Amino acid sequence: MKFQIAVNMERMDASLDMKAVRDHTLDMVKMAEQGGFEIAWAAEHHAMEMTIAPNPFQILTWWGEHTSKIRLGTAVAVAPYWSPIRLAGEAAMTDLLSDGRLEFGIGSGAYQREFDRMHPGLKQSDAWRYMQEMLPAVRALWAGDHELDGDFWNYPVSTSVPKPAQKDVPIWVAARSPITFDYAVKNGYNIQSWPLTRPMSEAELYMERLQEAVDANPGCKRPTMAMMRHTAVYDKPEDVDVPLAAARTQLGQFENYFKNLGDVENGFAKPIPLESLENRAEYDADMLTENLMFGTPDVVIEKLKKYEAIGVDSFIYYASLGLGHKEQKRSLELFCDKVMPAFS
């Protein structure tokens, strides 16, 4: 099993200096490269301090200037917020400036709150249609001249300038529903899945959906499957209280954004009391400790072996969960030094 890292610029409140937040992500990516991670992922989100990433290609290009081996991916570029020509050009420029290290991840978006601001009138549940029109257009623009008369975008003959440095840029789609697994397998795209805070059975469900899609499309190659979890590795079992408290705070903010409650001031969401949620069992402290990639190195190795056993090709270490910078770096240090050698 290989390893990838997702790390965001994030602030839970205004007490953190933005330059320190910025520099922390680069420190983490440098550590990940030195430790043997294969890909570093940057998200796209708007008007929220919990994930400060209005343009993932800017972040990746910056990381690329300070690294040499680790590949650089969007997780994910949100299709409805772009035009095909602009998205193709921005992605290709990042690939060119990083000497062909781009991993192009695309998705349909998560938060209705963002759609209300970035694409007013579009329901999140309909956004997958935009993704499925966008991706073929971007690939065609990378290849040469292309014109589009689509349902959502129209343009005369145009092309991507520049072209990507890679002949074939690896494509990733975010998938949880059967329709997206089928789409990825049919088209030869790699898959990222995120079981959120749900049990291991959720990860097993995604692997079942992948196998069903492969079985339904004979002759199509099985894509690479990457699974993401919030991760915190610590020295002693009793150290769990720190990442657990951080995770519960961040998840309370996540629920506010996700449910589009409107209780957001200057980019900071007021955390929802987790005990008030209908799905509050998903945030039970014992369940979070069990379901997330939390633990001492030995415990984390044992958990990761289960993902390896069900066929996960790459584990995405999700570093950003409201944890302090010092604790994030100690966790990544332990993961590189104590956990990854068990999978070499």
Side-chain angles (χ1 to χ4, degrees), residues 1-4 37 200 203 227-233 290-318 334-336 338-343:
M1 189 163 62
K2 296 181 179 180
F3 297 96
Q4 308 168 5
F37 281 71
M200 187 67 189
M227 198 81 71
M228 183 166 74
R229 283 287 199 184
H230 285 95
T231 301
V233 190
E290 175 65 26
N291 297 345
L292 302 183
M293 197 55 65
F294 283 8
T296 59
D298 287 347
V299 170
V300 169
I301 290 170
E302 182 180 353
K303 288 183 177 182
L304 283 170
K305 291 288 185 182
K306 296 177 182 177
Y307 289 86
E308 187 177 51
I310 64 173
V312 172
D313 302 295
S314 294
F315 176 76
I316 304 176
Y317 177 120
Y318 190 6
L334 287 168
F335 194 89
C336 292
K338 304 292 186 180
V339 175
M340 289 174 64
F343 299 88

Side-chain angles (χ1 to χ4, degrees), residues 221-238:
K221 181 182 176 183
R222 179 194 181 280
T224 296
M225 180 68 170
M227 198 81 71
M228 183 166 74
R229 283 287 199 184
H230 285 95
T231 301
V233 190
Y234 34 83
D235 292 282
K236 305 182 299 295
E238 56 267 30

